[in-house]
Amino acid sequence: MPTTFVTATHTGLVRRGNEDAALADPPLFAVADGMGGAQAGEVAAGMVVAALQEHRPRTAAELAALVEASNRSIFERAAGNASRSGMGTTLTAALIGDGRVDFVHVGDSRAYRLRDGRLEQLSDDHSLVGEMVRRGELSEAGALSHPQRSIITRALGVDDTVEVDSFSVELAPGDRFLLCSDGLYSMVPAERIEAILGGGADLATIAAALIEAANAGGGEDNITVVVFSPDGSVPAGSAVDTSIVPAGDEAESAAGERPEKERGRWWRSWRVLAVSIAALIVLLLAGTWYLSQQFYYVGESDGKLAIFQGVPLEIGPLSLSSLYRQSDVTLGSLEPFEQERVRRQELSSLKTAEAMLENYAGRQPAQPDPDRGSGSGRTTGTRTSSTTVEF
Ligand code: MN
């Protein structure tokens, strides 16, 4: 029996435009989720789907080559137009071959296979949370509520080259396939997708139920599904519910301010911003450290007076002061108000700090210490060593 298929897309309940695109042109099927805001996302998703439709790749190699060429076209079109800079698109495409299905995949749209009632995700999400899940740093459930779940790490059109995942699966009788944008799986738990995909009487009913479930779950994003049955074992069914906007329909894509779907541009500027902030922090720390080293203060080290260079502060692991010179004047030998002054760690010049220490040293009770000459001054504990005091 010939392959049966259905595509359906819906704007969802939050967005004003639909930047998803879908293709069902057996043996080729695809879902693309555009990004970049304003008209850009629609353009990028539309470009790759149009290229697939026009060139009709018939082998996995042709498909991969076409995707790479599309990447370059989108990138060049974005570079030539400021309002489209940062535009890009995901692409998950399937090509039915002889006893197998070949896939190409970039971004966070997904390909699933349902076999014997069990749902299998065939593609890896190229997203921040997808990578964290694969590294075992985040659970599948955690990924769905993560604040950065919409950041994708790979897309067509954002760089002049792109790494494309290519993979194939063997076909078995009764296999059903689903390609979808993140607007479906971010709103509908996998068990529910499994039940709907396995339970419908025909593909149109399945597609309508998937979109209904995504909207019931919040409908926060555009929802696009392509469902196909390579051996035609599931009937296509009648036309999908009229409330579902057909793929490529731009009726709802009203022009004007559209603050939604800025994630592609945001992802790019986020990288630039992160590097700028890091550079600024390094500069600020270096500047702060340099300035701090212009100050000195008299403080205490191991119960004895000492001169410190810097200011008595720590910024994270960075200490802004270090021991400059230790004396053998004990803190206990000072008058209470002098001890208090030392504890306040008042900043001064090196000259003033040295004079303070000299003054305190001068009033320290003489200690028998043959190693210290009376003329050596500043750090000796002998009363006679104190000669000048400067403030
Ligand atoms: Mn999306």
Side-chain angles (χ1 to χ4, degrees):
M1 276 188 284
T3 296
T4 49
F5 62 91
V6 162
T7 77
T9 186
H10 194 271
T11 306
L13 305 179
V14 175
R15 310 246 193 243
R16 279 198 280 155
N18 191 339
E19 296 180 24
D20 286 356
L23 174 72
D25 186 11
L28 186 61
F29 301 90
V31 163
D33 179 350
M35 60 197 194
Q39 303 295 315
E42 247 169 67
V43 170
M47 278 175 78
V48 68
V49 164
L52 289 170
Q53 211 158 12
E54 185 187 342
H55 297 283
R56 296 172 166 268
R58 285 298 178 256
T59 65
E62 282 175 18
L63 179 58
L66 184 62
V67 170
E68 281 173 23
S70 287
N71 175 70
R72 184 159 270 283
S73 318
I74 298 168
F75 178 70
E76 281 166 2
R77 183 135 170 209
N81 186 332
S83 74
R84 295 199 168 129
S85 83
M87 79 172 174
T89 183
T90 72
L91 176 72
T92 303
L95 180 65
I96 301 176
D98 191 13
R100 54 189 262 167
V101 184
D102 296 310
F103 290 86
V104 288
H105 167 71
V106 176
D108 69 347
S109 298
R110 285 185 181 173
Y112 291 100
R113 176 175 63 187
L114 186 92
R115 176 177 286 178
D116 301 328
R118 299 282 300 273
L119 188 73
E120 258 178 286
Q121 184 181 335
L122 303 174
S123 54
D124 288 332
D125 296 345
H126 300 145
S127 61
L128 211 58
V129 292
E131 286 172 8
M132 287 166 79
V133 168
R134 286 198 288 286
R135 288 197 301 261
E137 295 166 7
L138 190 67
S139 69
E140 296 275 359
L144 291 176
S145 57
H146 196 279
Q148 289 173 316
R149 61 187 176 278
S150 65
I151 297 176
I152 64 176
T153 48
R154 266 197 246 170
L156 294 184
V158 298
D159 261 310
D160 59 349
T161 60
V162 66
E163 196 185 334
V164 180
D165 286 355
S166 296
F167 52 91
S168 305
V169 298
E170 298 298 315
L171 272 177
D175 280 351
R176 301 173 186 191
F177 290 85
L178 165 67
L179 310 181
C180 67
S181 59
D182 64 328
L184 176 72
Y185 69 77
S186 61
M187 296 288 124
V188 186
E191 312 81 64
R192 184 96 185 93
I193 295 176
E194 184 178 78
I196 295 172
L197 193 57
D202 57 57
L203 299 180
T205 308
I206 289 170
L210 288 171
I211 287 186
E212 203 183 310
N215 281 331
E220 289 173 16
D221 195 2
N222 304 146
I223 310 137
T224 299
V225 298
V226 174
V227 191
F228 59 96
S229 164
D231 60 5
S233 57
V234 190
S238 50
V240 177
D241 189 292
T242 50
S243 65
I244 296 168
V245 184
D249 189 326
E250 293 187 5
E252 291 201 37
S253 306
E257 299 284 309
R258 295 198 302 165
E260 70 270 30
K261 208 70 187 295
E262 288 281 348
R263 65 179 190 174
R265 184 173 297 170
W266 189 79
W267 163 49
R268 271 176 96 77
S269 55
W270 173 80
R271 287 197 301 192
V272 174
L273 192 67
V275 171
S276 309
I277 289 174
L280 196 65
I281 288 172
V282 168
L283 264 175
L284 275 173
L285 285 177
T288 304
W289 184 83
Y290 174 77
L291 272 176
S292 73
Q293 297 309 298
Q294 311 311 304
F295 295 99
Y296 294 82
Y297 63 93
V298 175
E300 183 199 343
S301 173
D302 289 333
K304 300 200 170 150
L305 296 188
I307 295 177
F308 291 85
Q309 183 175 12
V311 297
L313 282 177
E314 296 194 353
I315 303 176
L318 181 69
S319 173
L320 293 182
S321 71
S322 55
L323 184 63
Y324 177 77
R325 186 170 60 238
Q326 182 148 27
S327 76
D328 51 15
V329 183
T330 59
L331 188 63
S333 70
L334 303 185
E335 296 292 334
F337 75 92
E338 291 169 329
Q339 293 184 21
E340 180 54 35
R341 189 176 175 189
V342 169
R343 288 200 185 92
R344 280 204 303 271
Q345 301 179 313
E346 288 170 341
L347 299 180
S348 65
S349 66
L350 178 59
K351 202 168 162 187
T352 307
E354 284 182 328
M356 243 175 99
L357 203 59
E358 207 166 329
N359 183 32
Y360 294 146
R363 284 177 292 101
Q364 176 112 338
Q367 294 166 355
D369 187 348
D371 289 333
R372 295 185 184 278
S374 62
S376 70
R378 297 192 279 256
T379 61
T380 68
T382 61
R383 187 172 290 273
T384 54
S385 69
S386 176
T387 48
T388 57
V389 177
E390 292 179 58
F391 280 99

